[in-house]
Amino acid sequence: MPARPNVDIGDHEIAPRNEILRTEVGSGVHGMAIAGTDDRDETGIYIEEPAQVLGLAPAPHHWIWRTQPMGVRSGPGDLDLSLYALRKFLRLAVAGNPTILIPLFAQGDAVVVTTPLGEELRALTPAILSRAAGWRFLGYLDGQRQRLMGGGRRSRVPNRPELVERHGYDTKYASHALRLGRQGVELATTGRLSLPLRSGDLEQCLAVKRGELGFAEALALVDAARAELHSVLLGGRCVLPDEPDRTRVDAWAVSAHRRHWAERGL
C-alpha cells in the first residue's frame, strides 16, 4: 500500500513567501517538552496578497502543513505548522485564543521567523489583549479537563491510552489544563505570558506531565488553578481591559498590508 501524503492544506504558495512572524507554540516554548515524546508545533502569520483581499482570488486564510497524514497523530520529531493570514490571526487574537497569542510572547530560539512587521505586531499586543483572553484560557482549561475525565468532543475513548495505562490517567490532558490555568492567571494579573512558564508553575506542570503525581493530586491542582483564574476574572486583580483596542488594531492592520505590498511591488 502506498504511503499516505502528509497534510498540506491552504495557501501553500502565498503563505511562505509573505510570512512576517513564526514561533514555536507547543510544549517546547512552554518549557514542558520531554525528550523523545513530543512533536514540534509552530504558528506563524503572513500577509495575503492584494487579489486575495481586494479581488476574487482564492483566500484560504491559512496554510496547514503536517509531517503526518490526515488523521494520524503526530509523534516525536514530527512538525505541525499553521500559518494564518494576518486578518484571520487578528480576529482570533482579539478573541483571546490561547494558542494564537503565543507568538506575541515567544522569546529567544522559539522565534523561528521575524520581520519588522512581525515585531510591530508583537508590540501591538497590549491593544490586542482584553479580559476575553482570560475567559478563553478558562474555557480551554475546561475543555482539557473534560477530555481528562473521558468526556468532550473526542468521545469517552482516551486519546492517549498508553499514558492512562502507565500513569492511571492522561497526564498530557492534565498538564495542559494546569498550564492553561496558571498562564491564564499570569496573563490576567500582569498582561504578560512568561515563556517558558514561571518556575513554580513549570515545576507543577512537569510533575503532572511526567506522571509524578497521582490522579487526585493532579486534578486538585487543575481545579485550584481554575478557581483562582475564575476569581481573578470576576474580582479586582485583573489588569486586562474589558475590550481590545480595535481602532488601533484595525489601523495597524491596514498600514501593515499597504507597506508589505509596496515593499514587495504587489
Side-chain angles (χ1 to χ4, degrees):
M1 179 179 296
R4 295 168 60 190
N6 68 288
V7 174
D8 186 353
I9 300 172
D11 261 343
H12 63 274
E13 293 184 1
I14 289 174
R17 67 174 179 246
N18 292 283
E19 194 172 10
I20 63 170
L21 179 66
R22 188 202 310 181
T23 77
E24 189 175 0
V25 295
S27 297
V29 75
H30 300 294
M32 292 175 57
I34 297 176
T37 65
D38 290 297
D39 61 347
R40 181 179 174 90
D41 298 299
E42 295 179 0
T43 289
I45 302 97
Y46 69 98
I47 305 283
E48 291 169 295
E49 296 191 349
Q52 295 180 295
V53 178
L54 305 173
L56 301 179
H61 308 304
H62 64 263
W63 177 45
I64 309 297
W65 192 97
R66 296 181 62 237
T67 306
Q68 292 294 339
M70 186 70 71
V72 177
R73 200 171 85 197
S74 296
D78 286 327
L79 172 64
D80 289 359
L81 170 63
S82 300
L83 295 188
Y84 294 92
L86 177 59
R87 292 182 299 152
K88 181 174 182 178
F89 174 85
L90 288 172
R91 285 195 294 269
L92 294 170
V94 297
N97 181 296
T99 302
I100 285 291
L101 293 177
I102 296 302
L104 302 178
F105 295 101
Q107 301 294 324
D109 292 343
V111 179
V112 181
V113 174
T114 188
T115 67
L117 284 178
E119 291 307 310
E120 287 183 22
L121 173 58
R122 285 158 62 91
L124 190 68
T125 300
I128 292 171
L129 294 177
S130 73
R131 195 176 292 258
W135 290 110
R136 290 297 294 276
F137 271 82
L138 189 69
Y140 273 52
L141 182 159
D142 286 342
Q144 294 293 315
R145 190 185 187 283
Q146 278 188 327
R147 292 172 183 175
L148 170 65
M149 304 301 290
R153 288 182 292 176
R154 293 189 181 180
S155 80
R156 299 192 66 81
V157 179
N159 192 42
R160 305 175 190 90
E162 71 281 3
L163 295 181
V164 177
E165 181 178 356
R166 188 180 311 141
H167 303 295
Y169 65 103
D170 190 321
T171 55
K172 199 163 185 178
Y173 279 148
S175 65
H176 283 329
L178 179 58
R179 171 183 60 77
L180 287 159
R182 300 314 309 159
Q183 286 183 321
V185 169
E186 181 186 12
L187 184 67
T189 57
T190 69
R192 297 286 307 169
L193 282 180
S194 297
L195 296 172
L197 277 74
R198 296 179 294 187
S199 59
D201 296 338
L202 180 58
E203 183 179 348
Q204 285 189 352
C205 289
L206 281 175
V208 171
K209 187 174 182 180
R210 291 170 178 152
E212 296 169 1
L213 305 181
F215 174 70
E217 190 175 0
L219 187 62
L221 287 175
V222 170
D223 288 345
R226 187 195 190 283
E228 182 178 2
L229 177 54
H230 190 259
S231 174
V232 166
L233 292 171
L234 291 180
R237 292 173 59 199
C238 183
V239 302
L240 300 176
D242 290 337
E243 298 289 338
D245 188 343
R246 295 179 184 274
T247 300
R248 183 179 167 196
V249 173
D250 283 347
W252 180 83
V254 171
S255 171
H257 280 82
R258 286 174 170 166
R259 286 181 286 143
H260 179 79
W261 293 342
E263 179 185 326
R264 300 296 178 92
L266 297 174

